[in-house]
Amino acid sequence: MAARTLTAVSLGKLFNAIGWRVGFVIGPWSLMRHVQATHLVMAYVSSSPAQEAAAVGLRIAEDTGWWESNKQDVAMRVRRICDVLDELGLPYVAPAGGYFIFVNIA
């Protein structure tokens, strides 16, 4: 399975900084060479400060335990929104591992 898998990461979403347009893809060379070829013609370039911030953010997040605290913070925010939806009687699908809540307003 690993030989057929690419992992794409959006650092903007990972760091709750939507709009950064910074990320990366990892995988086996047999697939990455195709990614590199298409990247040259498809990619939007993000600003140098955003790229630097993303690199620094990855190091700091690892050193400070930010991953776990952010996971708990996002879960708390999702729970608060779901609580309000419960109070309003609106049906929804709570996320199993992200932060998108699908609300049925029909």
Side-chain angles (χ1 to χ4, degrees), residues 9-21 66 70-82 85 92-103:
V9 177
S10 166
L11 294 171
K13 289 182 177 65
L14 192 64
F15 288 126
N16 307 323
I18 309 305
W20 274 18
R21 305 276 188 247
W66 184 84
N70 183 63
K71 178 181 163 184
Q72 293 172 6
D73 182 53
V74 169
M76 179 197 63
R77 292 170 188 239
V78 167
R79 185 70 253 153
R80 285 181 16 206
I81 293 170
C82 290
L85 293 171
Y92 60 89
V93 177
Y99 51 81
F100 293 105
I101 302 168
F102 296 95
V103 182

Side-chain angles (χ1 to χ4, degrees), residues 26-77:
I26 55 175
W29 173 243
S30 61
L31 298 175
M32 288 302 297
R33 62 190 176 94
H34 300 293
V35 172
Q36 282 184 320
T38 57
H39 176 74
L40 294 174
V41 295
M42 293 179 57
Y44 294 96
V45 177
S46 62
S47 68
S48 293
Q51 292 177 27
E52 179 68 20
V56 170
L58 285 169
R59 284 192 298 270
I60 292 173
E62 191 67 29
D63 293 344
T64 63
W66 184 84
W67 303 116
E68 185 58 34
S69 65
N70 183 63
K71 178 181 163 184
Q72 293 172 6
D73 182 53
V74 169
M76 179 197 63
R77 292 170 188 239

